[in-house]
Amino acid sequence: MAERTWVAVRGSERRAVAGAQTVGRAHPQERVDVSVVVRPRSPLPKAERGMAWLSQQEFEQRHGATAEDVAKVRRFAQEFGLTVMEHPQQGSRRIVTLSGTVEKLEQAFGVQLNEYHCEAFSYRGREGAVQVPQELAAIVQAVLGLDNRPQAKTHYRWREAPGTRRPGAAAATSYTPVQVAQLYKFPSDVTGAGQTIGIIELGGGYRPADIQNYFQNLGVTAPAVTSVLVDGGKNSPSDPNGADGEVMLDIEVSGAVAQGAKIVVYFAPNTDQGFLDALTMAVHDTTNKPSVVSISWGGPEANWTAQAMTAMDQAAQAAASLGVTITVASGDSGSSDGVTDGGNHVDFPASSPHVLGCGGTSLKGSGSAIASETVWNDGSSGGATGGGYSVQFAKPSWQSFTASGRGVPDVAGDADPNTGYDVLLDGQTGVIGGTSAVAPLWAGLIALLNQKLGKPLGFVNPDLYADEASFRDITSGNNGAYSAGPGWDATTGLGSPDGEKLEKTLG
């Protein structure tokens, strides 16, 4: 093999999980698939107000991977004994999947793969940067899959036991998603017919019988729900205390709000590779064509590599150029986002400037009207809405405040488990809250508005910030470091939706 110069992939540096112990080397003959993200043909379109949307074909022709770049990655794979795995929309997604043994991948990417164990899980991982040959340095933007540590967590919470509410918290009640939509004045003369809602799931599963029973009890027709399996992901329901709660919450909330929409669930492993592959699969799905994608998984920016965040953000930027809206939960651990270093952190991918970050409120209704609504904060044990300022992404042009980082969230909705959502999963009923409920709530609203207005809303952020009067401004409460106040704030963003006003604004 010819001598050559090797270059570190920018932002690929990894450290072991805090407290993890090295068990030993990964088995040299273990087979692993990796996702190699290559550069776009030309810079991705800037997401801005009034931007023109592209078709999938136009996007691939203008901003997909070039045949020359893909061919260079293929030659590199052949040289190191790796197999190129073919998959749909490879050019649009700009992902080349390579498969090989640990031994060959270590040689190809200049890494050492070890087995690690910590209290909560074991994983195959690496430390330091991923290396590529000089001739690929300008082409390869990320290499994901060598490290398979769990990347994200769900953002839902079961209602706490009676008597554990914080002082001043709303008296415990619950709503069906239909009731929440009515309180927020969602359009009632459309059902989301003709729309497809994509949902990203990194674990768990659903049982069709639960879906049928839940919607029958609501008195509405159950939505058509199908699955797309990515990177070996599975629809694998187990028990209510696992990721099933996330999957069913997402389906039941979005499906009850937009009863005529189709729902496609993209199941992938909970790794940075699986997350990216599922998102790009949904954004570039030419079969199901989702007009809105809901994401209720995430983790602190500090737990991500820069290469993974950049790749995910570019996938969201591609969605914006295709007219696809992405709604993302902002997290359930307040301004710290669960990081114990004493600082403030925001959750990713909610902090991507190309998604609609969704924070949480505590909602109290009176008949068909809202009696009160405050920032959701049930204390350190009960959870609180995520929010704050990104250290990875700069403040976009449509946000105005003194901080320099992207502000999170953009919008909000009911998330307090004490004012939570009635759900059915694994044959059991219960009440769930968390910002995981807000992402599918907003996804359902977007689907309704898409049908109502006769076109996809696409990247809505600039339009929403241009007319803050379309929201219920939340001015009471805090999420730890940040307090609510007039206008946008780092607890509930612009506020909770007023469907009637939003319809006029976005129309």
Side-chain angles (χ1 to χ4, degrees):
M1 195 173 298
E3 289 291 332
R4 45 150 66 105
T5 302
W6 293 79
V7 179
V9 176
R10 184 177 180 182
S12 64
E13 295 79 9
R14 270 286 200 192
R15 291 179 295 179
V17 173
Q21 300 295 318
T22 304
V23 177
R25 296 289 297 273
H27 194 287
Q29 297 308 308
E30 177 188 357
R31 197 154 192 91
V32 175
D33 293 348
V34 298
S35 296
V36 178
V37 182
V38 302
R39 65 186 175 185
R41 183 185 305 267
S42 63
L44 298 176
K46 182 179 180 181
E48 55 190 354
R49 195 175 189 188
M51 66 184 299
W53 299 319
L54 303 175
S55 68
Q56 291 283 355
Q57 184 178 14
E58 290 171 330
F59 180 87
E60 181 172 2
Q61 292 173 344
R62 300 181 191 181
H63 308 291
T66 68
E68 293 78 9
D69 284 353
V70 173
K72 289 181 180 179
V73 175
R74 286 178 178 273
R75 288 195 293 270
F76 162 76
Q78 183 178 17
E79 178 182 350
F80 285 91
L82 306 176
T83 302
V84 178
M85 310 295 289
E86 305 299 337
H87 56 72
Q89 287 80 51
Q90 177 176 279
S92 297
R93 295 170 65 200
R94 302 183 4 254
I95 293 175
V96 182
T97 303
L98 306 182
S99 181
T101 64
V102 162
E103 182 178 39
K104 292 184 181 299
L105 289 167
E106 287 179 329
Q107 295 170 359
F109 293 106
V111 295
Q112 177 177 308
L113 300 181
N114 296 320
E115 296 292 342
Y116 296 86
H117 177 75
C118 55
E119 184 177 351
F121 54 85
S122 298
Y123 70 98
R124 181 191 66 248
R126 60 178 178 82
E127 298 180 51
V130 175
Q131 308 284 326
V132 293
Q134 176 70 54
E135 63 268 23
L136 294 182
I139 295 173
V140 174
Q141 295 188 328
V143 179
L144 306 179
L146 296 167
D147 187 304
N148 68 352
R149 71 187 69 188
Q151 184 61 63
K153 60 182 178 180
T154 59
H155 290 321
Y156 79 91
R157 291 183 181 240
W158 287 101
R159 175 176 291 172
E160 302 291 348
T164 60
R165 289 183 293 112
R166 63 178 171 83
T173 187
S174 64
Y175 308 97
T176 69
V178 174
Q179 291 172 322
V180 174
Q182 291 170 344
L183 288 171
Y184 286 139
K185 302 179 183 178
F186 284 12
S188 58
D189 56 346
V190 288
T191 64
Q195 304 298 312
T196 297
I197 299 173
I199 299 176
I200 305 298
E201 300 293 357
L202 305 178
Y206 63 85
R207 292 181 170 88
D210 278 345
I211 295 175
Q212 291 296 327
N213 291 337
Y214 179 78
F215 286 93
Q216 183 177 343
N217 291 338
L218 282 183
V220 300
T221 302
V225 181
T226 57
S227 299
V228 174
L229 308 183
V230 183
D231 293 352
K234 297 178 180 179
N235 173 21
S236 182
S238 56
D239 66 81
N241 295 316
D244 290 7
E246 184 62 73
V247 177
M248 292 303 293
L249 177 68
D250 294 342
I251 292 173
E252 290 172 357
V253 170
S254 61
V257 169
Q259 299 163 12
K262 297 178 182 179
I263 295 177
V264 180
V265 187
Y266 299 83
F267 286 102
N270 184 10
T271 63
D272 55 7
Q273 176 191 28
F275 209 155
L276 175 67
D277 287 353
L279 179 57
T280 57
M281 186 71 79
V283 169
H284 297 286
D285 187 343
T286 56
T287 300
N288 297 295
K289 303 176 182 177
S291 59
V292 55
V293 176
S294 176
I295 301 174
S296 293
W297 297 70
E301 287 183 337
N303 291 353
W304 290 76
T305 61
Q307 65 164 358
M309 284 191 285
T310 298
M312 290 280 289
D313 178 57
Q314 288 187 350
Q317 188 175 357
S321 69
L322 293 164
V324 177
T325 310
I326 301 177
T327 61
V328 185
S330 69
D332 295 351
S333 299
S335 57
S336 72
D337 204 32
V339 181
T340 57
D341 63 0
N344 298 320
H345 299 268
V346 291
D347 212 72
F348 182 83
S351 65
S352 161
H354 298 104
V355 307
L356 188 68
C358 301
T361 69
S362 181
L363 176 70
K364 187 175 182 179
S366 177
S368 60
I370 295 175
S372 66
E373 193 169 16
T374 59
V375 177
W376 168 44
N377 187 343
D378 287 330
S380 58
S381 61
T385 181
Y389 302 92
S390 172
V391 297
Q392 172 71 17
F393 301 101
K395 176 175 62 180
S397 60
W398 31 266
Q399 286 189 318
S400 58
F401 39 70
T402 56
S404 59
R406 151 53 163 162
V408 183
D410 298 299
V411 297
D414 183 31
D416 187 345
N418 291 304
T419 63
Y421 298 74
D422 298 320
V423 297
L424 171 68
L425 68 148
D426 300 328
Q428 301 181 37
T429 58
V431 179
I432 289 181
T435 56
S436 277
V438 189
L441 180 76
W442 268 89
L445 173 58
I446 295 295
L448 294 177
L449 293 174
N450 283 350
Q451 181 192 3
K452 182 79 173 178
L453 301 176
K455 61 179 181 179
L457 293 174
F459 185 57
V460 294
N461 296 37
D463 288 320
L464 298 181
Y465 280 80
D467 191 351
E468 297 184 10
S470 299
F471 294 86
R472 286 183 49 82
D473 192 9
I474 311 302
T475 58
S476 176
N478 66 79
N479 68 347
Y482 306 106
S483 298
W488 181 92
D489 54 63
T491 60
T492 55
L494 297 168
S496 60
D498 183 317
E500 292 178 352
K501 292 181 179 179
L502 282 169
E503 179 184 332
K504 294 178 181 178
T505 296
L506 297 173

